[in-house]
Amino acid sequence: MSKHIVVIGSGFSGISAACALAKKGYRVTVVEKNECAGGRASFFKADGFMFDMGPSWYWMPDVFEWFFKEYGSSVAEQYDLIRLDPGYRIYFGKDEITDIPASISELHDLFEQLEPGSGKQLQQFLKDAETKYAIGMKDMVFKPCNSIMEFAELRMVKALFTMQLFTSLRKEVYSKFKNEKIRKILEFPVYFLGALPSNTPALYSILNYADLVLGTWYPQGGMYKIIEGMQRVAEKMGVTFMFNAPVTEIVTENNKTTGVKIDTHFIAADAVVAAADYHHVEEKLLSQPKKNYDENYWDKKVFAPSSIIFYLGIKGKVKNLLHHNLFFDQSFEQFADEIYTNPRWPANPLFYVSAPSKTDPSVAPDGDENLFILIPVAAGLEDTEQLREMYFDKVLERIEAFTGDTIANRIIYKRSFAPKDFVTRYNAYKGNAYGLANILMQTAIFKPKMRNKHIKNLIYAGQLTVPGPGVPPSLISGYVAAGEIEKALKN
Ligand SMILES: Cc1cc2nc3c(=O)[nH]c(=O)nc-3n(C[C@H](O)[C@H](O)[C@H](O)COP(=O)(O)OP(=O)(O)OC[C@H]3O[C@@H](n4cnc5c(N)ncnc54)[C@H](O)[C@@H]3O)c2cc1C
């Protein structure tokens, strides 16, 4: 009988770990607290609309290709993927619209229009970013980062310098580009996903490469199609999924786990992958001496934003929106201060609107619009119904003013999701949406470790450990965690 591994959590990292473990010949059971797979990428249907609850940007298509190929399938076999062109729209002000084209030559022309001479700089910036992306994907993101020794070969040391770990993204962008809009285009992925560009290593220009070169894609039917494809692949390899099954304890004996408990129901395991939020696992599922970190450690960590989200069904279409729309008409500096430096409720937030029904008629009733509004806010704030409504009114007013369309009287479905809901639905520490901020001291070997130092057959996976937040990194995290389980069971 092959060894049995329990995976806690069925987000991208959990299903990825399950697939990799099944391929290695283990019996695998994924135990999920919620009613369906996907974690932060789950979905719901209401009044003829289908809403993806979390991720909406499909970046780094190569990682999804790699994933499905690893298990004898392909993206094309699982879902119909299309490239968006333009990739997205930015509202810098009422009549200041910039659409980011898919074609590099059109992007070059756009940069030249915004800042004469910047096209050449863009070429160099993206070439450097491509080199970093290639090194990062080949040599770095698949490392478990247990020790600095993993980076000790000369080739790796050289690579660390090429990766510009010790230069900030801000310095890199500001030294090459003077135009405010260009600077915002290049800094927004870092702001939204993690931290101040002045604290973020220039390594993260790999996100600009992913954005501007590899492009923005969309799986027809919605982002949940990826999860459905992954679950299909996992089940085909024999993985069992249990839903509505919140783990309440990781059972340990000496320095080993023997399985998990869902209340009084015990599931025996030879090893456990904890792919639920790291802090929740340590605080709620393990007893004091078995934890890697204490509350003080987590309290000092810099978290990426949480979010206030609105899922809206609109009667009829909304003018002047594309599939992805960023509202960058307010100060980035103030936004950064309100999220990272002095966390508080934002006065005039930047926000994002996705309208997947612009590309995909299947996510809304005929002729209607499906809108997803996301306002990044600091993790750890106490949200109330009144605050949600106050922000709803603020952003709706801006959307109406900028698009020149009326929406308020055409809302036929509305649901909000805010920090409190992240805690209830995902057991998210401080209601975090995307894990830890991408600052140097929270990168690679400085991230919370995959291995539990007291229990050798317990391995963590997911956005709070290596390589980090986002869908592609979470997929990779599960894969790396499976490798760590194999090593632990051999020793
Ligand atoms: C609103 C939002 C928008 C985002 N947008 C993007 C985007 O556009 N592109 C992108 O690449 N990334 C995006 N991200 C980030 C990305 O979604 C996450 O990094 C990724 O989905 C995290 O996957 P995970 O497996 O680490 O965690 P999760 O998806 O959170 O999975 C953890 C799972 O563990 C389960 N769980 C928790 N406790 C228990 C327990 N006790 N027992 C059993 N199960 C438990 C949870 O229910 C959950 O299903 C977004 C995230 C959010 C929240």
Side-chain angles (χ1 to χ4, degrees), residues 38 49 59 75 111 121 131 173 186 212 218 226 228 258 289 307 312 324 327 340 358 365 428 432 435 437 456:
F49 294 90
W59 278 5
V75 164
F111 270 53
Q121 294 283 31
T131 307
V173 169
L186 297 176
L212 301 172
Y218 176 75
I226 316 168
E228 283 177 351
T258 53
S307 317
L312 299 184
H324 295 296
F327 287 75
Y340 301 112
K358 292 284 180 204
N432 83 82
K456 64 180 190 166

Side-chain angles (χ1 to χ4, degrees), residues 64-93:
F64 299 87
E65 266 323 330
W66 156 79
F67 174 84
F68 284 109
K69 191 159 171 242
E70 191 63 31
Y71 307 110
S73 183
S74 65
V75 164
E77 188 176 281
Q78 296 301 334
Y79 45 86
D80 182 13
L81 189 66
I82 56 163
R83 182 161 183 179
L84 302 181
D85 188 10
Y88 51 97
R89 165 164 290 180
I90 304 179
Y91 276 100
F92 286 112

Side-chain angles (χ1 to χ4, degrees), residues 8-14 31-34 36-41 53-59 193 223 245-248 275-277 280 285 307 309 352 372 374 422 425-427 432-434 461-464 468-474:
I8 307 173
S10 68
F12 279 102
S13 65
V31 186
E32 166 58 50
K33 123 184 214 302
N34 291 330
C36 66
R40 281 165 168 83
M53 292 189 73
S56 52
W57 296 77
Y58 190 111
W59 278 5
L193 250 189
M223 295 293 279
V247 170
T248 45
D277 267 39
H280 163 73
L285 309 187
S307 317
I309 298 168
Y352 156 64
F372 166 98
L374 182 149
F422 280 95
R425 185 163 170 86
Y426 307 121
N427 286 324
N432 83 82
Y434 332 110
Q463 63 174 10
L464 279 162
V471 171
S474 301

Side-chain angles (χ1 to χ4, degrees), residues 66 87 131 138 185 190 194 233 268 302 309 375 420 433 437 464-465 475:
W66 156 79
T131 307
K138 183 165 160 279
I185 293 169
V190 157
V233 164
V302 182
I309 298 168
I375 309 167
K420 229 189 258 172
L464 279 162
T465 179
L475 276 178

Side-chain angles (χ1 to χ4, degrees), residues 7 17 90 120 133 142 146 172 179 241 300 315 352 356 422 430 484:
V7 177
I90 304 179
K120 198 150 175 264
Y133 189 85
F142 286 91
N146 293 319
E172 175 69 1
N179 178 276
F241 285 82
K300 287 194 180 128
K315 189 82 205 141
Y352 156 64
F422 280 95
K430 292 191 176 175
E484 292 299 288

